[in-house]
Amino acid sequence: MGFSPLQRGAGGFVLALLMVLLLMSAPAFAENRETLSSVDRAVSQIEAMFPQLEGTVVSLEGDEFLVDLKQGDPVHPGDKLKLVRYGEEILHPATGKKLGRKETELGEIEIVQIGKNFSRGRALDKTVKAQAGDGVRPPFRKIAFLVAPLESKTEKDIDRNRLVSALEKRLQENPRFEVPGFDLGVWMLEAGIKKEALSRPENLDRLREKVKADFILLPSVREVKDKMALSFELRSTADGRVKDKAEVLAEQIPLAPKPAKTPREQTLQTEFEGRKGVLEFVGKQEFPFEIVDFDAGDLNGDGSLDFAVADRYRILIYRYEDGKFKKISQIATSQTANRFLSVDVGDINGNGRDEIFVTNKYGDGLKSFVLEANPKQKRFDKIWDNVTLYFRIIRPFGAKPKLLAQTPGFHDPFTGGIKTILYKGNRYMEGPELPVPSIYGMQFILYGLTQTSLTSSKTNETIILDKDYHLRVYSPSGRLLVKSDDYYGHDPRLIDVGVKEELGGIVKQGEPVNYRGRLQFVENGGRKFLMIPRNYVVGSGLLSRMTLVNDSSLVLLGINKEGFEKVFETRKQKGYIAAFQMTVHPRTRERKVHVVTVQEGGLAEKTISSIFTYNWQNN
């Protein structure tokens, strides 16, 4: 499996973990003064390309006035400028140095005519009276830049990521500029657009649909005698025209780390064989209904492990004994009115018994609910009912399980941010919003999402299956750190809460969202892993949106200093993976992995679910 943009493998499976690791392990870019000096000079040249427009009212002519802005200045008829009245000078009380002048904004003016030596303007508000000596300037607006991947015209191995990151950082630090949280290089790869075709009108139209930016900065590096030259070109995102070009000389440009120095500085691997025998198959059990989801926990506080299995309208409670799932209880609802979407188990209220959180579609909306075991009456009671929320519990490394929730929209399945749910004062209540990176044009939903710290830092990365079933990792600042070339999930189920569509095509509101299953982090034998489903669809990667699943398997990704490595993949089984869990026996600490596959319909029009069970070997 290959990955872009960080690494593209010819075979095997590698996720290049996290530029965070590179940035943590490599020498700090800020320490390279010569390189930063070059970047600073480049940004200064860019700033000079956008001179700040300042004018002064020189005389009055009735309702109009003359301003000392002329032909050749960056001003045009119809431009709206601010009218400013200057006051007394501001002096530093200790040094007496002039710090500036007091200013009062009077309102907006419009430039109506540009002359050879002056311009004519008028106030938009007739009650505003200009005076000679007043200033005019444009309203403040930051100029947004996208930085394209660096083009190297030298045989030296340039550290392109560090140089581009430095350019973005320095632009962002300039009070007049901003850099949106959008990876232009990744978008170009995904869209199949090469650098020379980026400025074509059709490609700029596609880009503007994704992000709002004014200019694209195209950097390159070349050798000039014994020095390096950092060149750049600015192109407008509106029409692709070149705004300007410039070049600065540098004594040194950062080179890519050599693989022989330290383990963290080695180049990323491109292939892994995958170890044999991590999971040992021990049994299979079939069920004559569709299993929607399942989760495991101690439901009645007796120290035993229980399984809450959801079909379309029932929660069935099982124990795994003697190699078989044995049903011990059942909670049923109306078969016609309810359609369960997911089930999560966790002790959120802290009473020693895990609650069951059921996300339930009822009609065109949500009527989710929470169940808890009543030990005295040997039944399950609803302790929170008619909840208009989706539920999901995530389990970060080294932290307690976290209950997440999200609301449906009026005409779309999801709206707003992802909230944490807390239990205080004998009730569940909405907590703070889950911090997710701000990515223009992307909405995060709680399915197919988790967060944890993948490094030794205290910050959490956001790990998701995106709408096209690529595995992605984002830093807290919104930088895309990992994107898989291979596809995962491809779950054929749809979430259509709030979506309305009439057969005649007269009414269509919203679009369904493809269901995305859990991304489960687990630890075993001192190692950390990510468990992720892989469903194989008709057409493979060429038809990524088709969801006719032939076969499926479960993949284990080990987390190490270099990244994620594929350590095991189960054999392909018929149908799609609907759910999976790793469980730890409370007494023996034996670890098992249970995987649910679903085969829909067939000749007999009968859906069959199978649970495959594996022992987790520590060798």
Side-chain angles (χ1 to χ4, degrees):
M1 172 180 179
F3 282 78
S4 61
L6 303 185
Q7 183 68 39
R8 197 174 283 274
F13 177 42
V14 175
L15 278 173
L17 175 71
L18 313 183
M19 258 183 169
V20 171
L21 291 179
L22 285 175
L23 293 175
M24 289 173 59
S25 60
F29 189 41
E31 295 174 1
N32 191 332
R33 294 181 180 178
E34 178 60 36
T35 301
L36 276 186
S37 174
S38 304
V39 171
D40 285 339
R41 293 201 305 273
V43 173
S44 295
Q45 289 196 17
I46 294 172
E47 187 173 26
M49 296 175 186
F50 300 92
Q52 297 193 59
L53 186 66
E54 292 277 355
T56 302
V57 175
V58 294
S59 65
L60 306 179
E61 291 188 357
D63 292 335
E64 295 183 348
F65 44 83
L66 302 183
V67 184
D68 62 350
L69 298 175
K70 58 186 182 299
Q71 291 176 357
D73 289 333
V75 64
H76 305 87
D79 284 354
K80 306 293 193 300
L81 306 177
K82 287 184 177 181
L83 182 65
V84 179
R85 180 152 300 159
Y86 299 113
E88 61 184 17
E89 290 184 337
I90 302 173
L91 303 178
H92 192 286
T95 65
K97 183 179 179 181
K98 295 180 181 180
L99 302 178
R101 299 170 67 182
K102 292 182 179 180
E103 297 180 357
T104 302
E105 289 189 6
L106 302 178
E108 276 194 332
I109 69 160
E110 180 183 16
I111 299 296
V112 296
Q113 184 182 1
I114 305 292
K116 183 178 180 181
N117 297 309
F118 58 84
S119 298
R120 190 179 299 275
R122 61 180 176 84
L124 295 180
D125 184 350
K126 293 184 178 181
T127 63
V128 174
K129 301 298 182 182
Q131 295 179 4
D134 287 345
V136 295
R137 66 168 69 111
F140 179 77
R141 185 182 76 86
K142 287 191 174 185
I143 303 169
F145 294 90
L146 295 175
V147 182
L150 179 77
E151 180 183 5
S152 179
K153 300 177 181 179
T154 172
E155 294 181 357
K156 293 184 178 180
D157 191 8
I158 303 298
D159 194 333
R160 306 184 187 203
N161 288 329
R162 287 172 63 191
L163 193 52
V164 168
S165 296
L167 279 168
E168 291 177 333
K169 183 174 184 291
R170 285 299 194 249
L171 285 169
Q172 189 70 45
E173 289 173 350
N174 189 296
R176 298 179 58 204
F177 301 150
E178 64 180 349
V179 180
F182 178 84
D183 197 316
L184 179 60
V186 173
W187 177 79
M188 291 169 64
L189 281 172
E190 291 177 339
I193 298 173
K194 295 183 178 180
K195 177 183 174 182
E196 55 268 21
L198 184 57
S199 58
R200 292 177 182 172
E202 64 272 19
N203 292 331
L204 291 175
D205 289 343
R206 294 168 66 185
L207 179 62
R208 288 194 299 271
E209 291 177 359
K210 293 289 185 180
V211 63
K212 293 181 179 179
D214 301 295
F215 294 95
I216 300 171
L217 174 64
L218 297 107
S220 63
V221 170
R222 67 186 183 96
E223 291 186 69
V224 181
K225 294 183 179 181
D226 59 340
K227 294 185 178 182
M228 305 291 286
L230 172 61
S231 307
F232 57 89
E233 178 180 283
L234 280 184
R235 285 186 176 269
S236 167
T237 58
D239 54 20
R241 293 182 181 178
V242 177
K243 163 73 175 177
D244 215 331
K245 298 180 181 181
E247 186 173 68
V248 296
L249 290 178
E251 295 290 342
Q252 184 178 355
I253 291 290
L255 301 179
K258 296 181 180 180
K261 291 183 178 179
T262 67
R264 282 191 174 186
E265 291 178 330
Q266 291 180 4
T267 56
L268 295 168
Q269 295 171 274
T270 58
E271 292 188 11
F272 286 85
E273 293 295 330
R275 292 182 296 168
K276 305 293 184 181
V278 178
L279 297 184
E280 177 191 16
F281 174 74
V282 295
K284 171 187 175 183
Q285 189 170 344
E286 292 189 348
F287 301 83
F289 54 85
E290 178 189 356
I291 295 179
V292 171
D293 197 8
F294 85 112
D295 203 355
D298 184 0
L299 298 180
N300 54 20
D302 64 356
S304 299
L305 196 62
D306 306 296
F307 292 82
V309 177
D311 71 359
R312 288 299 180 112
Y313 68 101
R314 297 176 299 175
I315 298 295
L316 303 103
I317 310 301
Y318 288 87
R319 288 271 175 91
Y320 185 76
E321 299 174 349
D322 302 322
K324 292 291 182 182
F325 285 91
K326 300 178 181 179
K327 189 171 76 171
I328 59 175
S329 183
Q330 175 177 310
I331 305 101
T333 62
S334 169
Q335 184 175 0
T336 57
N338 297 281
R339 181 163 68 87
F340 294 169
L341 301 178
S342 66
V343 61
D344 292 81
V345 170
D347 184 14
I348 303 302
N349 62 16
N351 65 1
R353 301 190 303 275
D354 288 344
E355 304 103 274
I356 303 174
F357 296 86
V358 182
T359 302
N360 176 37
K361 181 185 177 186
Y362 186 91
D364 196 42
L366 288 180
K367 275 192 177 182
S368 302
F369 55 90
V370 183
L371 299 169
E372 187 174 64
N374 186 330
K376 294 182 179 179
Q377 300 184 9
K378 296 183 178 180
R379 71 183 188 193
F380 287 87
D381 296 331
K382 285 186 178 180
I383 60 174
W384 194 17
D385 200 5
N386 297 326
V387 186
T388 313
L389 291 173
Y390 300 93
F391 291 126
R392 178 57 89 211
I393 290 178
I394 64 172
R395 294 174 169 84
F397 288 128
K400 293 181 179 180
K402 183 180 295 186
L403 176 61
L404 307 179
Q406 198 168 12
T407 58
F410 290 105
H411 304 307
D412 292 285
F414 295 89
T415 187
I418 300 171
K419 299 296 181 67
T420 55
I421 300 296
L422 309 175
Y423 190 83
K424 292 183 178 180
N426 295 320
R427 68 185 183 93
Y428 297 96
M429 59 186 299
E430 187 178 285
E433 189 167 313
L434 186 74
V436 296
S438 176
I439 310 295
Y440 184 82
M442 175 175 285
Q443 179 192 26
F444 288 93
I445 66 171
L446 79 173
Y447 294 119
L449 175 146
T450 189
Q451 284 188 341
T452 195
S453 175
L454 294 170
T455 67
S456 58
S457 67
K458 295 182 180 180
T459 59
N460 286 333
E461 285 75 39
T462 299
I463 302 95
I464 66 167
L465 280 177
D466 67 19
K467 61 182 178 62
D468 294 319
Y469 300 103
H470 295 285
L471 179 66
R472 292 176 179 246
V473 179
Y474 285 99
S475 73
S477 66
R479 179 175 292 279
L480 179 62
L481 305 172
V482 172
K483 177 182 178 294
S484 67
D485 282 342
D486 275 1
Y487 302 87
Y488 293 93
H490 275 278
D491 201 303
R493 297 171 290 181
L494 294 175
I495 300 175
D496 57 358
V497 174
V499 176
K500 298 179 180 179
E501 184 172 6
E502 292 188 1
L503 292 177
I506 300 174
V507 176
K508 184 176 182 181
Q509 297 174 337
E511 292 289 340
V513 172
N514 286 95
Y515 184 84
R516 300 160 219 169
R518 284 184 177 84
L519 302 176
Q520 186 178 13
F521 286 111
V522 296
E523 295 186 68
N524 189 22
R527 290 198 63 190
K528 296 179 178 180
F529 302 87
L530 172 64
M531 297 172 60
I532 185 170
R534 188 175 186 184
N535 291 323
Y536 293 85
V537 301
V538 173
S540 186
L542 298 177
L543 298 172
S544 63
R545 293 187 181 277
M546 289 189 65
T547 51
L548 179 60
V549 177
N550 285 336
D551 309 289
S552 58
S553 61
L554 185 71
V555 175
L556 301 184
L557 307 181
I559 302 174
N560 56 34
K561 293 180 180 180
E562 286 75 31
F564 291 100
E565 66 166 324
K566 173 182 162 185
V567 297
F568 190 79
E569 182 174 358
T570 63
R571 293 182 60 183
K572 294 180 183 179
Q573 306 294 345
K574 291 295 182 182
Y576 66 88
I577 290 183
F580 60 91
Q581 288 290 338
M582 187 196 81
T583 61
V584 181
H585 194 280
R587 293 184 296 276
T588 66
R589 311 307 295 172
E590 180 184 43
R591 284 168 166 78
K592 292 188 181 295
V593 175
H594 305 280
V595 183
V596 176
T597 64
V598 176
Q599 289 179 265
E600 294 180 312
L603 295 177
E605 294 297 327
K606 187 175 183 180
T607 296
I608 296 176
S609 301
S610 302
I611 300 183
F612 294 84
T613 300
Y614 303 84
N615 285 334
W616 191 313
Q617 306 297 307
N618 284 323
N619 56 357

